[in-house]
Amino acid sequence: MALLPPIPLYRRLFRAHRHKLPAEMRLLGDKYIKSEFRAHRDVENPVHIIGFLTEWQLYAQMLEGDAWRDSVIDKGKIDKMSDQQLGQLYELMQAVQAKGGDEGGQA
């Protein structure tokens, strides 16, 4: 897999969100993409940069192919996450569940 440079990957992610996600998920996902790319803008360690871009590119491919529906995060990836990353994942999970609860309450 050839690794996309950051700006084309960033655009590809937003395009995938625009075409594949419902409006509520898209808003949450777009905000998360912006936040993560800003947070990693000044990273200089090549290993971290490659890992960051690789994971986002895999996410884009998964989203474009609809493989993301009903998928589960690999336990090996969770085991490698830092405490900060686990906290972010937990916050994201809470935000998604809150959005799902809001939609269920409006029906």
Side-chain angles (χ1 to χ4, degrees):
M1 161 180 76
L3 202 55
L4 284 175
I7 293 174
L9 178 58
Y10 187 77
R11 290 178 182 150
R12 179 180 176 184
L13 290 164
F14 285 110
R15 204 170 23 255
H17 278 190
R18 187 171 52 248
H19 294 293
K20 297 290 185 170
L21 296 180
E24 286 290 319
M25 289 180 80
R26 178 182 169 198
L27 291 173
L28 182 64
D30 288 355
K31 183 178 173 184
Y32 191 71
I33 290 170
K34 289 176 190 175
S35 168
E36 285 297 300
F37 272 76
R38 282 187 185 124
H40 290 83
R41 186 182 318 174
D42 297 325
V43 172
E44 295 181 12
N45 184 333
V47 174
H48 289 232
I49 294 169
I50 290 171
F52 178 80
L53 295 175
T54 300
E55 288 302 318
W56 277 107
Q57 188 162 328
L58 289 171
Y59 168 75
Q61 290 172 347
M62 183 175 63
L63 191 62
E64 291 165 348
D66 285 334
W68 59 279
R69 297 183 189 274
D70 300 322
S71 66
V72 178
I73 297 176
D74 179 42
K75 183 173 176 2
K77 287 185 181 181
I78 292 175
D79 291 341
K80 292 179 184 178
M81 289 183 178
S82 69
D83 290 341
Q84 180 184 6
Q85 290 170 323
L86 289 171
Q88 287 178 317
L89 184 61
Y90 182 72
E91 290 172 8
L92 180 61
M93 180 190 72
Q94 287 181 319
V96 169
Q97 288 177 342
K99 293 291 182 189
D102 291 347
E103 291 173 6
Q106 294 175 353

